[in-house]
Amino acid sequence: MSSATQIPVSEYLETTFRPDREYVDGEVLERNVGKWEHARIQWLLALWFGRHEAEWHVIGSTEQRVQVAPNRIRVPDLVVVRPGRQPDVLVDPPLLVIEILSPDDNYSGLQERCQDYRTMGVETVWIIDPKTRSGRMCLDSGWVAAERLEVAGTPMYVDLNTLFSQIDTPFAS
């Protein structure tokens, strides 16, 4: 069994990885890179939020580094924040974090990432599963399955049936 190499967070922040990697307690972790449906959903979500930025008064990004704790930096699939100049690594909690499951993701790793976001202060985390064509919202009461994912107190939402209908058929309504 090989042991992981430990590096300081400062070294991680000065290093570029392709694809980007997460940093957890001194260890640089590879992320599962999505396959077609993962990438397609990420694209569709970015388009959706991009079309609604002015209306919802938000901006977003894909694969943005988020420092959830002094020794933890996560790289979620999408983040949504309030407009304004953003640092290279987000240190304030995003309004919304979206994780799209990859075929190689496991439940314990997903739970740990989501707990990191919640501990940081992210109020809304969405998990979207391309394989089962389902989604969940992490709320104070726990994980709630829903066909319409929403951010409480905002107009932000995504209708999953519409999203999934566009995976293979562009321009579906």
Side-chain angles (χ1 to χ4, degrees):
M1 180 176 173
S2 64
S3 62
T5 303
Q6 299 285 307
I7 66 169
V9 69
S10 59
E11 184 177 332
Y12 165 82
L13 291 171
E14 293 175 8
T15 305
T16 301
F17 302 96
R18 298 205 190 283
D20 205 358
R21 297 179 182 185
E22 295 185 327
Y23 179 86
V24 176
D25 300 329
E27 186 177 345
V28 177
L29 304 176
E30 290 186 27
R31 295 170 40 242
N32 292 324
V33 178
K35 304 224 177 351
W36 172 256
E37 287 190 344
H38 176 283
R40 179 80 176 136
I41 288 171
Q42 188 173 2
W43 168 262
L44 291 169
L45 286 167
L47 287 172
W48 175 255
F49 281 100
R51 283 193 302 265
H52 289 90
E53 282 186 338
E55 173 188 354
W56 293 344
H57 196 63
V58 297
I59 58 175
S61 179
T62 61
E63 301 177 12
Q64 171 65 49
R65 288 181 175 184
V66 178
Q67 188 161 10
V68 296
N71 287 350
R72 289 180 178 247
I73 298 171
R74 297 295 186 173
V75 184
D77 291 306
L78 289 102
V79 295
V80 178
V81 299
R82 290 284 176 218
R85 185 165 173 80
Q86 302 297 323
D88 289 337
V89 177
L90 297 180
V91 294
D92 293 325
L95 296 170
L96 170 64
V97 168
I98 304 173
E99 287 284 1
I100 304 165
L101 295 181
S102 299
D104 297 327
D105 282 332
N106 62 56
Y107 181 76
S108 62
L110 174 67
Q111 283 294 101
E112 183 179 338
R113 285 195 316 271
C114 290
Q115 184 57 49
D116 280 349
Y117 300 133
R118 297 288 289 167
T119 299
M120 177 197 197
V122 177
E123 292 188 23
T124 306
V125 179
W126 293 349
I127 303 299
I128 298 177
D129 186 350
K131 182 177 180 182
T132 63
R133 306 269 168 120
S134 64
R136 295 186 180 281
M137 298 181 289
C138 182
L139 306 172
D140 289 334
S141 59
W143 289 100
V144 176
E147 291 181 2
R148 180 181 163 107
L149 301 177
E150 300 174 342
V151 177
T154 77
M156 287 188 281
Y157 76 95
V158 168
D159 180 274
L160 289 179
N161 291 328
T162 302
L163 178 75
F164 292 134
S165 74
Q166 295 176 0
I167 290 176
D168 300 317
T169 309
F171 316 113
S173 55

